[in-house]
Amino acid sequence: MSKWGFRQLAWVLICTVMLTACSSGSGGTPAASGGDAGSAPNEESASGGTTFENKELNIAVFEGGYGSEYWKAVIERFEADYPGVKVNMTSNPKIMDIIKPQLVAGNPPDFIYVSPDENTGTIKALVKEGALMELNDVFDGPALDSDRPLKDKLTDGLMAYMQPNGDGNIYYAPNYMSVLGMWYNKHLFETKGWEVPVTWEDFFALGEVAKAEGRALYTYQGIYPSYNESVFWPAVASAGGLEAMNKALSYEEGGFTQDAVKQVMGVFERMTQNDDVMKGTVALNHTQAQTEFLKGGALFIPNGSWFESEMADAPREEGFEFGFLGVPVFSEGDQAYVLSSFEAMYIPNKAKNPELAKEFLRYQYNDDIVQLNAEKSKGVMAVKGAVELAKDYIPASAYEAFKVYDEGALPMMVQWKQTPKSEVIINDELFNPLGDVMNKKMTADQWADKVEQASAKLRNLLNQS
């Protein structure tokens, strides 16, 4: 299975614990929100909350790894808090195929939930065509359960990724997040008295310690080397800032020969030179490498917050406990980053009931609704403190991974600049040579030059388009 297909499956398996249903009240009255100029006036309800002249809302929901139980529960809450409102839901694993005829006909649902990277490419096409509603007023305005702006509730560092055109206009409202990085055996480190590395020098200092224990320092999912993106890109961002990362992702000249990128490539070369990589790694698939890690073959491996659930039945060394490191920095005090992704909510420009759709969107970020979401979906929302609200409903390992956001690490996301169709698959061009680096057939400088050449081909395509 490819890494990307696996990740989709892994999210389906992310949590299996079933817990009791939550109480029926929302715990608070929705705050009033103003309508756009030209929209129908809102009426004040007897409770002081806002009601709407058009009280019917049509929503379309992707039914994937998080299921649809949360959406059923939140609709029930929303209808109770907004008397007279009726929410009609269409949910399906192929939701974009189902609603595409509506979108083409100019009769879209009022509210859509699906990943920005959904496989039909419809969401990105809607952005490009200007068919999604700008949501700046929603996030600049107050949250429903506090007086602070709604954007202040979001996980730090997300705002730039909510603006797919990079022009300051928000079209994506994030909900579920994932986090990826390096994992280790927490029980082993505590038993041995080893410090979890903060810097790359700390990391490499553990190499000889590992060898003395009959272990390797590092392994990865050999035939799927792009798992290393969860180490590579956060390290680039930490070394050179998001500017360095975006220079490479945009195919700018010198993007892959700049110091920050070559410094990170040097980390992998150093692992090779030190014989720090578990023998046989490059020939293993993801489950084989992960099983060897669990059995004590290596101290660290890259993976995502679904790791524990995916490997629930795999053998492991006695006392094994999942620990999440994230990614070391080059100098203590540098900003740490973690590779992240989010799914999102949208309101089409031609929605029949945009004001009620905006209210429903705001409602998703209420603390009690964030907790309801965790209970029903086992997911973590893109809200500060969401991991604490979700703690009772997700595996301990996922809790530890998501906690890095609250501990100062910033999310970063890999968004290659879109180009015309090409035979160059840049992600493969970046990570496939890693096997040659690990087998000492290629140096870090040669690796950088090879990717720079592939990047130049895509840059030329962009210049010609």
Side-chain angles (χ1 to χ4, degrees), residues 211-275:
K211 288 171 188 172
E213 293 280 333
R215 304 168 188 264
L217 180 62
Y218 186 78
T219 190
Y220 66 91
Q221 296 79 351
I223 63 174
Y224 303 119
S226 55
Y227 269 83
N228 286 289
E229 71 172 358
S230 60
V231 176
F232 186 92
W233 289 115
V236 170
S238 181
L242 294 175
E243 298 83 2
M245 183 186 75
N246 290 328
K247 181 178 179 180
L249 292 171
S250 299
Y251 320 114
E252 293 182 27
E253 186 172 357
F256 287 94
T257 54
Q258 61 180 313
D259 288 344
V261 173
K262 292 182 73 173
Q263 193 174 3
V264 176
M265 289 179 166
V267 166
F268 290 94
E269 184 178 44
R270 184 175 172 184
M271 284 191 232
T272 304
Q273 293 169 342
N274 293 352
D275 291 323

Side-chain angles (χ1 to χ4, degrees), residues 68 94 102 114 161 242 314 341 374 398:
S68 62
K94 296 184 177 181
Q102 300 173 46
V114 72
Y161 301 102
L242 294 175
S341 65

Side-chain angles (χ1 to χ4, degrees), residues 150-205:
L150 180 57
K151 62 185 178 184
D152 289 353
K153 294 194 71 174
L154 298 179
T155 301
D156 287 333
L158 273 187
M159 191 57 67
Y161 301 102
M162 297 160 57
Q163 305 165 24
N165 293 330
D167 57 3
N169 293 327
I170 298 169
Y171 298 101
Y172 296 168
N175 53 2
Y176 300 117
M177 289 196 73
S178 65
V179 58
L180 301 91
M182 290 165 58
W183 295 79
Y184 66 99
N185 182 347
K186 190 174 182 181
H187 173 77
L188 175 67
F189 271 65
E190 290 174 351
T191 301
K192 297 291 185 179
W194 299 340
E195 293 290 331
V196 177
V198 174
T199 67
W200 283 110
E201 286 304 319
D202 297 337
F203 172 82
F204 282 109

